[in-house]
């Protein structure tokens, strides 16, 4: 068996060991991707950090990302990708039919929003949908609590059923012990640029690992200081992934994530008189009644509709595209296989 003491600090568990055991190849060792750089990556291996190559041609290991568990061979080339227990996906920026994996094998997502600027509830809901869909547990953190006059924590709690929300300050340390106690396994910080993700990451790590930068004075927007998704071991167990500020966050196949984010609306809707109620003032509509009574905000219903519509549109579009793409990949694979046979026959 491989000596995995070093890997434990990078999140190696019995479960990962079990997955690894089922795919052991001669001369390979397990490794965790710490950071990706196009065709190469930094990995943690049983003997320490290393640099590894990622073969692009191998469809199975393309699309690697920070947090992935892989096997690497004696030449430091990534050979296999271990099954992911979670993956944070968004629709790719280029609008291709593939989702982009932001981080893999994440247990807790820390959704960061600066409390000293306008807190955008719609964006928090969007990040919640992305997180629930990924299989990780969300925590909403209102950062820079020291600089905020009043912190809308109750409003945030109301939009995050099933998740915890708290105010923290990396500057004063307020809320950091409570937060630390809530973190579990691999933690990823997400949120817009300037939300204070890297500053909070450094505070949790207990050292200045990640670069930080002041926000623009005029509009409090960040300067996209962080450019890599990078994983580090936390001092008291677990690991942490800092990520670049999200510009747009397109949802990727997030129907379940949306349902969980808006579980309050879903359960109201279950009480509407008509099964196909559109909640537009139909008789016996429990959702409209909740809006009239002030129990549910119109903003939240609008946000729910917007995300559901966007998701449906994306799903319809990718179905067709995926089909075409699969056909193409298949043709490429057959071509490569034929080429392989030819080369083998030539060698004979
Ligand atoms: N007052 C105060 N300022 C903070 C706090 N946390 C972060 N900041 C400031 O907010 C600014 C942005 O912080 P970063 O940590 O660089 O933000 P980020 O979310 O990592 O930004 P990107 O890397 O661009 O995505 C810096 O000037 C920090 O000093 C805090 O708790 N209190
Ligand atoms: Mg940063
Ligand atoms: Zn209804």
């Amino acid at each position: 068996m491989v000596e995995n003491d070093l890997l434990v600090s990078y999140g190696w568990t019995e479960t990962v060991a079990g997955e690894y055991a089922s795919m052991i190849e001669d001369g390979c060792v397990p490794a965790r991707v710490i950071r990706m750089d196009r065709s190469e990556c930094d990995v943690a291996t049983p003997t320490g950090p290393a640099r590894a190559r990622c073969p692009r041609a191998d469809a199975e290991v393309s699309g690697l990302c920070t947090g992935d568990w892989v096997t690497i061979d004696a030449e430091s080339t990534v050979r296999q990708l271990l099954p992911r227990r979670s993956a944070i996906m968004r629709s790719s920026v280029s609008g291709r039919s593939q989702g982009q994996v932001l981080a893999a094998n994440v247990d807790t997502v820390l959704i960061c929003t600066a409390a000293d600027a306008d807190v955008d509830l719609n964006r928090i809901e969007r990040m919640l949908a992305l997180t629930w869909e990924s299989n990780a547990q969300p925590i909403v953190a209102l950062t820079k609590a020291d600089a905020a006059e009043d912190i809308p924590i109750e409003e945030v709690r109301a939009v995050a059923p099933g998740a915890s929300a708290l105010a923290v300050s990396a500057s004063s340390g307020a809320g950091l012990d409570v937060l630390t106690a809530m973190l579990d396994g691999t933690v990823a910080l997400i949120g817009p640029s300037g939300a204070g993700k890297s500053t909070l990451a450094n505070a949790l790590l207990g050292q200045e690992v990640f670069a930080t930068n002041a926000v623009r004075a005029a509009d409090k927007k960040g300067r996209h200081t962080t450019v890599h998704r990078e994983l580090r071991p936390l001092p008291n167990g677990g690991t942490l992934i800092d990520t670049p500020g999200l510009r747009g966050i397109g949802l990727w196949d997030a129907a379940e994530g949306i349902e969980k984010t808006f579980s309050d609306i879903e359960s109201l809707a279950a009480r509407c008189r008509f099964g196909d109620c559109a909640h537009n003032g139909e008789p016996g509509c429990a959702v409209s009644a909740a809006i009239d009574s002030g129990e549910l905000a119109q903003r939240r219903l609008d946000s729910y509709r917007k995300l559901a519509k966007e998701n449906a549109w994306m799903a319809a579009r990718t179905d067709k595209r995926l089909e075409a793409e699969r056909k193409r990949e298949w043709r490429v694979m057959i071509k490569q296989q034929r080429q392989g046979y030819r080369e083998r026959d030539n060698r004979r």
Side-chain angles (χ1 to χ4, degrees), residues 51-67:
R51 195 84 179 142
R53 273 184 306 278
C54 324
R56 260 192 320 171
D58 189 338
E60 207 195 347
V61 295
S62 66
L64 278 183
C65 74
T66 302

Side-chain angles (χ1 to χ4, degrees), residues 4-311:
N4 285 320
D5 290 356
L6 260 163
L7 278 192
V8 170
S9 62
Y10 282 91
W12 180 263
T13 59
E14 294 277 314
T15 318
V16 184
E19 298 284 8
Y20 176 65
S22 68
M23 46 183 16
I24 286 184
E25 257 186 288
D26 275 351
C28 282
V29 293
R32 191 161 198 200
V33 177
I34 295 174
R35 169 178 149 169
M36 291 295 307
D37 296 295
R38 291 169 198 274
S39 60
E40 285 194 355
C41 54
D42 288 336
V43 290
T45 78
T47 50
R51 195 84 179 142
R53 273 184 306 278
C54 324
R56 260 192 320 171
D58 189 338
E60 207 195 347
V61 295
S62 66
L64 278 183
C65 74
T66 302
D68 268 329
W69 286 100
V70 296
T71 67
I72 58 171
D73 64 18
E75 277 80 50
S76 290
T77 300
V78 174
R79 293 293 293 261
Q80 285 171 293
L81 173 64
L82 272 63
R84 291 171 173 151
R85 67 175 179 277
S86 67
I88 307 175
M89 302 270 293
R90 69 157 166 193
S91 59
S92 74
V93 206
S94 59
R96 278 179 313 162
S97 59
Q98 281 157 333
Q100 182 193 11
V101 188
L102 294 179
N105 300 313
V106 173
D107 302 284
T108 312
V109 173
L110 208 48
I111 296 175
C112 299
T113 301
D116 68 340
D118 279 345
V119 172
D120 183 343
L121 298 176
N122 290 10
R123 189 171 54 204
I124 292 176
E125 286 162 342
R126 184 177 279 274
M127 292 192 282
L128 280 165
L130 191 90
T131 303
W132 285 123
E133 186 68 35
S134 78
N135 240 352
Q137 173 69 33
I139 297 176
V140 185
L142 288 177
T143 58
K144 313 190 193 183
D146 59 284
E149 269 163 31
D150 46 9
I151 301 169
I153 193 73
E154 288 314 321
E155 283 91 324
V156 170
R157 289 208 171 108
V159 306
S164 306
L166 80 172
V168 295
S169 165
S171 300
S172 75
L176 290 187
D177 338 343
V178 182
L179 177 60
T180 304
M182 286 159 80
L183 301 181
D184 179 36
T186 295
V187 180
L189 291 97
I190 66 167
S193 178
K197 300 179 295 299
S198 300
T199 311
L200 184 56
N202 290 339
L204 294 170
L205 291 167
Q207 45 177 314
E208 299 299 304
V209 171
F210 300 113
T212 64
N213 216 332
V215 297
R216 295 195 305 222
D219 56 7
K220 295 198 170 174
K221 286 209 167 119
R223 299 161 195 263
H224 292 278
T225 307
T226 305
V227 290
H228 285 104
R229 292 179 268 275
E230 208 164 323
L231 181 143
R232 289 295 156 105
L234 281 163
N236 299 312
T239 57
L240 178 148
I241 301 175
D242 188 22
T243 70
L246 291 165
R247 289 169 203 267
I249 325 159
L251 291 182
W252 174 259
D253 196 8
E256 270 179 51
I258 293 170
E259 252 176 57
K260 268 196 169 164
T261 302
F262 297 99
S263 56
D264 51 341
I265 301 184
E266 296 280 340
S267 54
L268 281 170
R271 301 207 306 266
C272 292
R273 184 178 306 159
F274 304 116
D276 61 349
C277 183
H279 323 308
N280 279 324
E282 288 92 335
C285 173
V287 175
S288 306
I291 286 182
D292 291 343
S293 75
E295 183 198 334
L296 175 68
Q298 182 68 45
R299 181 211 59 79
R300 185 160 164 83
L301 179 60
D302 293 344
S303 166
Y304 169 63
R305 284 178 167 150
K306 182 163 189 277
L307 292 180
K309 196 169 153 192
E310 177 185 317
N311 191 61

